[in-house]
Amino acid sequence: MSVQDQIRETVEGNDVVLYMKGTREFPQCGFSGRAIQILQAVGADFVTVNVLEDDGIREGIKQFSSWPTIPQLYVHGQFVGGSDIMTEMYEKGDLAGLIQEKARA
Amino acid sequence: MVTPQDIKGWIEAGLEGAEVEVDGDGHHFNAVIVSPAFAGKTMVQQHQMVYRALGDRMKAEIHALSMRTLTPGQA
């Protein structure tokens, strides 16, 4: 399976996926840490992928979304954004709605 | 080392009509970008336009960049 297929399978097979540096217990970058805090604050049930463990995924995820940075949030197969967009959506109260709406669908 | 002024210049050169404010310490930067080109675009598309303006510099020189994108009407 190609890296792109592998990524597609992961983001379509899980409601909420965060591609990040490190793990939810030990984020290896401030932006990834903030993304985890936001997902926990909205009570999201999510899986994480540590890009530091796989260079193929680390580069492949950037191509997948045409987005050059990590972390990256996917909700129900759709790319939502990086940590700035997560922060802005969280502050506006939009992120919890998006995640819950998708969970019901 | 990259300066906030460098980043401001690169974004303004690559994104038509953009007004950009950047601060940062050479490693982490914060940018506010106002451009009429953002009208009608999603936040993801707006950020992608800024990343496109910065091109390969995002892979090398720029370690960490936070941004807010606004249309002139939102600024």
Side-chain angles (χ1 to χ4, degrees), chain A residues 4 7 19 29-30 46 50 52 58 64 66 90:
Chain A
Q4 295 299 310
I7 292 169
Y19 283 81
C29 147
F46 61 98
N50 181 0
L52 299 180
R58 184 176 183 172
F64 185 78
S66 304
Y90 173 60

Side-chain angles (χ1 to χ4, degrees), chain B residues 7 34 52 62 65-66 74:
Chain B
I7 293 181
V34 181
R52 219 171 292 133
I62 303 171
L65 173 68
S66 276
Q74 293 172 313

Side-chain angles (χ1 to χ4, degrees), chain A residues 64-85:
Chain A
F64 185 78
S65 54
S66 304
W67 193 264
T69 59
I70 310 287
Q72 296 188 11
L73 177 68
Y74 293 81
V75 176
H76 226 73
Q78 296 286 322
F79 175 56
V80 174
S83 66
D84 293 332
I85 289 176

Side-chain angles (χ1 to χ4, degrees), chain B residues 2 7 10 27 29 54 57-65:
Chain B
V2 175
I7 293 181
W10 292 330
H27 298 285
F29 298 95
L54 291 167
R57 295 187 184 96
M58 282 308 299
K59 293 182 188 160
E61 295 106 303
I62 303 171
H63 172 64
L65 173 68

